[in-house]
Amino acid sequence: GTVKESGEKHKGSVEIPNLSEENEVDDTEINVSKKKGEGDVLKDLMRIEGTVKVREALRDYLKALKTEFTLGMILPTKATVGQELAAERKLSGNIMQDVDIVGVKIPTVKILMKETFNSPADELYGIFTTKELVQKFSKCSAVIEAEKGGKLQMFDGCVSGEYAELVPSQRIVLKWRCRNWPDEHYATVALNFKDMAAQTELQLECKGVPVSNEDSTRQCWKKQYFEEIHVLLQQFKDNTE
């Protein structure tokens, strides 16, 4: 750092001995040290103002870490992908019948999920196609261009794609991928909205998911989408009561 009045430069360090998502960030120990000499004003500044900024960064870091963990953000190496391909080829014929080879010729699976929401179909459809509502339930900035060929980007870029088909209150089809998937590989996601008066059954079909990412993709839709949308709908209900 540089002391503004004198222009003198001094070196110091910030050490975080123990950081855990199980503990509150405000309780995290942050040690500030500086080499001997003048410039204690910088050390004091880091202890007071700097600690606040460091904790803000740690809070963002832990949030991103949790999001990436949920979405299965451990990037596979080319060697790993090769090993998985070799392993899949050794599978018995009966199992291989359930595995489609698409896109960049990697083993893929189809995921089917259903979820019932306490919301009419038009409202639920809007949650998937309105930028402000997507940002509310995802708790991240998003790019939502809800038209055919329009871009989609969520969870700070962990998920991306485009809208392929939109039938208001009835159906959305997406080209959809997670950031850790092989380059240029997309799944096809179909969301069908079945209106049941005050409720809507959402039927999800996700075709072309890499076999190695099946579990993390299921968790992504369950935790990052469905559970958070339930929370958002409850907030709507609480605000109108």
Side-chain angles (χ1 to χ4, degrees):
T2 304
V3 179
K4 191 173 181 180
E5 289 78 7
S6 63
E8 293 178 348
K9 294 184 177 181
H10 300 276
K11 289 185 177 181
S13 64
V14 176
E15 181 186 12
I16 302 158
N18 187 22
L19 176 65
S20 170
E21 62 179 21
E22 296 176 358
N23 300 325
E24 292 292 331
V25 170
D26 290 338
D27 296 332
T28 302
E29 185 180 355
I30 298 174
N31 298 328
V32 179
S33 60
K34 184 186 69 65
K35 290 187 176 181
K36 290 182 179 180
E38 300 297 326
D40 285 337
V41 63
L42 293 177
K43 185 177 179 181
D44 294 338
L45 182 66
M46 277 304 298
R47 277 179 173 165
I48 302 169
E49 300 292 336
T51 296
V52 174
K53 296 294 184 183
V54 170
R55 286 195 169 123
E56 286 177 2
L58 294 179
R59 199 170 282 110
D60 291 341
Y61 171 72
L62 287 176
K63 179 183 175 184
L65 202 62
K66 288 178 182 177
T67 300
E68 294 200 351
F69 176 77
T70 305
L71 295 175
M73 287 293 112
I74 300 174
L75 295 171
T77 63
K78 290 183 179 179
T80 304
V81 173
Q83 290 166 2
E84 289 170 352
L85 277 168
E88 291 299 333
R89 290 192 185 107
K90 292 178 183 178
L91 291 174
S92 68
N94 289 337
I95 297 176
M96 282 301 286
Q97 287 176 0
D98 294 330
V99 179
D100 305 318
I101 308 297
V102 298
V104 291
K105 304 300 181 185
I106 62 172
T108 66
V109 293
K110 178 168 69 174
I111 293 174
L112 299 173
M113 300 175 70
K114 287 183 181 180
E115 188 79 9
T116 301
F117 294 91
N118 293 322
S119 165
D122 58 342
E123 183 179 59
L124 188 60
Y125 177 90
I127 288 176
F128 282 93
T129 54
T130 307
K131 179 179 178 179
E132 291 76 17
L133 296 178
V134 170
Q135 291 181 157
K136 274 190 176 181
F137 82 74
S138 68
K139 299 179 176 64
C140 295
S141 60
V143 175
I144 301 294
E145 299 174 355
E147 59 185 18
K148 189 172 182 179
K151 291 182 180 179
L152 165 78
Q153 191 174 87
M154 298 175 61
F155 307 114
D156 291 330
C158 291
V159 165
S160 61
E162 67 178 52
Y163 290 88
E165 180 186 345
L166 295 110
V167 181
S169 305
Q170 295 180 35
R171 178 175 169 85
I172 299 172
V173 179
L174 307 167
K175 273 181 65 179
W176 187 95
R177 61 173 272 111
C178 288
R179 187 167 57 194
N180 65 317
W181 289 7
D183 290 345
E184 301 303 317
H185 181 82
Y186 288 84
T188 299
V189 172
L191 300 169
N192 290 297
F193 301 81
K194 185 178 179 182
D195 202 341
M196 302 185 301
Q199 292 184 320
T200 301
E201 181 183 84
L202 179 61
Q203 300 170 344
L204 166 73
E205 179 185 83
C206 191
K207 293 192 296 186
V209 177
V211 169
S212 58
N213 297 101
E214 179 181 2
D215 288 342
S216 61
T217 302
R218 282 185 183 276
Q219 287 300 308
C220 172
W221 282 98
K222 184 175 184 294
K223 299 286 187 182
Q224 304 296 107
Y225 282 88
F226 296 168
E227 290 186 7
E228 294 299 335
I229 289 173
H230 279 301
V231 171
L232 181 62
L233 289 172
Q234 185 60 47
Q235 290 174 356
F236 289 166
K237 183 179 178 182
D238 293 342
N239 290 337
T240 55
E241 288 181 350

